[in-house]
Amino acid sequence: MTAVDEVPTAVPRVAEAPVATRWRRLRYVRWAAIVVWATVVVYRTATDGFAFNRELLLLYIATGLLAASIGQGRRMLFVIRDWLPFALVLVAYDLSRGAADLIGRPTMWHWQVDADRWMFFGVMPTVWLQEHLKMPNPPWWEVVLSTVYMSFFVLPYVVAGVLWLRNRDEWKSFVKLFVGLSFAALVIYALLPAAPPWAASRCSAADVEGGPSGPECMFRSARNVPDGGLLGAMQTTQDGANGWIERIVGRGWGKLNLHTASALLDQGQASVNLVAAVPSLHAGMTLAISVFLWNRVRRGWRPVLAAYVIVMAFTLVYTAEHFVIDILLGWALAAVVMMAMDRFRSRRAGPSQDEAEIQPSAAVTS
């Protein structure tokens, strides 16, 4: 009786041994892959600088998740499937550069200038801010502004990576928000191309007659443009500061000798859609991320999220990246997309519990 009972207990142990050995080997391989990944990232960061390039950052995150998924079934395939939407957004954004030309839409140059001037009673916010705040050399707070501006190219992917590891349902909600808002903005950029403040300061009304998308004036300095171009001339300056509007969003990193980051920013700015200003996706995405995280983080982080939205808006106007009207429309677009997604999610979920209880009683009464 005892000998017979021992046979079935011995068989599973023999069968389980190869499985346990294989699992331990895959775990060693996984940790080795993670170490190799971390070594490569650290080495490239030390030699080439931080990964401010969105495509490179996405590659870092995807390969890191692939390394961490070794030995966990089909999870490696999920990395490729799940992160494909981010890659498609980057490709679509790059392709949108020539979409307006293909459609034949003229670029807006005057409308956003007139809107800002009307809202501020004849004062151009970007001009006023650079008159009163721009120094000949970047002060410490421009380091903060440069970092906040660049967070737009980094933070969405970091948030998505954390959510992918911690909560797939939350990750899906965030991806839908990111992709939906991005594509909504891309459609508007194709239909309504608009020039940013730094471009308007370099061009006169005669230069942009007919609404060109890439006139020669965009690629010269605003130094010798009569009357400050479409924005208007600076009337005062801080001692030693240049007396014309400058695109200065990357100056802060120069103070920290992060010239690689500045070079990557300049390279990226030169390769993207230069007339994708209305609405501001920087402003809209910042608001969307802050709202998304508002009820998902501890209460102590909420002031940081609120400050993030405000500082981003200030950065965009001060550095001549966006008009105020661009920011307001970016916030409005984000609000519309979030409300549309909430409504769609509610409709898919069906009637609420209270409605479900009311409906049967109503049927009985009738």
Side-chain angles (χ1 to χ4, degrees):
M1 189 72 178
T2 304
V4 173
D5 292 340
E6 289 180 355
V7 173
T9 58
V11 172
R13 291 177 182 174
V14 173
E16 289 175 2
V19 176
T21 301
R22 180 175 179 273
W23 185 86
R24 282 196 300 269
R25 289 176 179 174
L26 288 175
R27 185 176 62 178
Y28 294 147
V29 172
R30 179 169 66 249
W31 280 107
I34 293 174
V35 170
V36 171
W37 172 83
T39 302
V40 171
V41 172
V42 171
Y43 174 77
R44 286 189 56 88
T45 302
T47 55
D48 299 332
F50 290 100
F52 291 108
N53 180 286
R54 291 179 297 177
E55 291 81 358
L56 181 59
L57 179 67
L58 184 59
L59 179 63
Y60 282 173
I61 294 176
T63 52
L65 293 175
L66 283 172
S69 301
I70 293 176
Q72 298 189 22
R74 302 172 59 186
R75 196 173 184 181
M76 294 185 69
L77 296 177
F78 293 160
V79 173
I80 300 174
R81 181 198 67 183
D82 293 345
W83 286 83
L84 185 60
F86 287 96
L88 292 177
V89 168
L90 294 179
V91 172
Y93 192 88
D94 291 337
L95 292 177
S96 72
R97 182 177 187 182
D101 292 335
L102 293 176
I103 296 175
R105 299 293 301 172
T107 298
M108 295 187 298
W109 288 87
H110 298 277
W111 177 82
Q112 57 272 41
V113 177
D114 296 338
D116 267 28
R117 191 169 283 129
W118 177 80
M119 285 190 296
F120 292 91
F121 306 99
V123 176
M124 184 58 60
T126 297
V127 175
W128 189 91
L129 288 174
Q130 292 206 11
E131 284 177 343
H132 293 82
L133 298 178
K134 186 176 68 174
M135 307 295 290
N137 296 308
W140 65 268
W141 49 267
E142 283 198 19
V143 178
V144 177
L145 300 188
S146 296
T147 303
V148 168
Y149 176 83
M150 204 61 185
S151 67
F152 168 80
F153 303 100
V154 177
L155 186 60
Y157 308 101
V158 174
V159 172
V162 173
L163 291 176
W164 193 85
L165 291 172
R166 298 183 61 179
N167 190 317
R168 291 291 300 282
D169 290 334
E170 296 283 10
W171 177 86
K172 290 179 181 178
S173 298
F174 181 78
V175 168
K176 291 176 182 177
L177 175 61
F178 176 83
V179 174
L181 180 56
S182 298
F183 272 101
L186 292 177
V187 171
I188 297 175
Y189 296 153
L191 298 177
L192 298 172
W198 61 264
S201 70
R202 301 176 182 182
C203 300
S204 65
D207 291 327
V208 298
E209 185 177 357
S213 61
E216 294 182 1
C217 57
M218 288 182 66
F219 307 100
R220 69 189 182 196
S221 170
R223 179 173 186 173
N224 298 318
V225 178
D227 300 323
L230 298 177
L231 288 191
M234 294 175 60
Q235 302 301 320
T236 62
T237 61
Q238 299 297 313
D239 291 340
N242 293 330
W244 58 89
I245 296 298
E246 297 177 282
R247 192 180 191 185
I248 54 176
V249 72
R251 287 205 319 171
W253 290 316
K255 189 175 181 66
L256 299 178
N257 294 320
L258 293 177
H259 301 295
T260 300
S262 298
L264 285 174
L265 177 60
D266 294 339
Q267 179 183 357
Q269 288 177 330
S271 61
V272 300
N273 189 349
L274 298 178
V275 289
V278 179
S280 169
L281 191 55
H282 266 79
M285 190 64 71
T286 300
L287 178 65
I289 292 175
S290 297
V291 172
F292 181 88
L293 295 177
W294 190 263
N295 292 321
R296 294 173 171 86
V297 298
R298 296 181 179 179
R299 299 179 70 90
W301 284 101
R302 292 181 179 179
V304 177
L305 295 176
Y308 180 49
V309 175
I310 296 172
V311 174
M312 177 65 82
F314 173 82
T315 299
L316 297 173
V317 178
Y318 168 67
T319 60
E321 292 294 325
H322 280 284
F323 293 96
V324 174
I325 189 64
D326 304 346
I327 295 168
L328 296 178
L329 292 175
W331 288 344
L333 178 64
V336 169
V337 171
M338 287 186 288
M339 288 189 294
M341 291 183 61
D342 287 340
R343 185 164 185 174
F344 177 75
R345 189 161 43 244
S346 299
R347 293 184 64 179
R348 289 195 62 184
S352 63
Q353 183 176 356
D354 294 338
E355 292 175 345
E357 293 175 353
I358 293 174
Q359 290 174 357
S361 60
V364 171
T365 303
S366 60

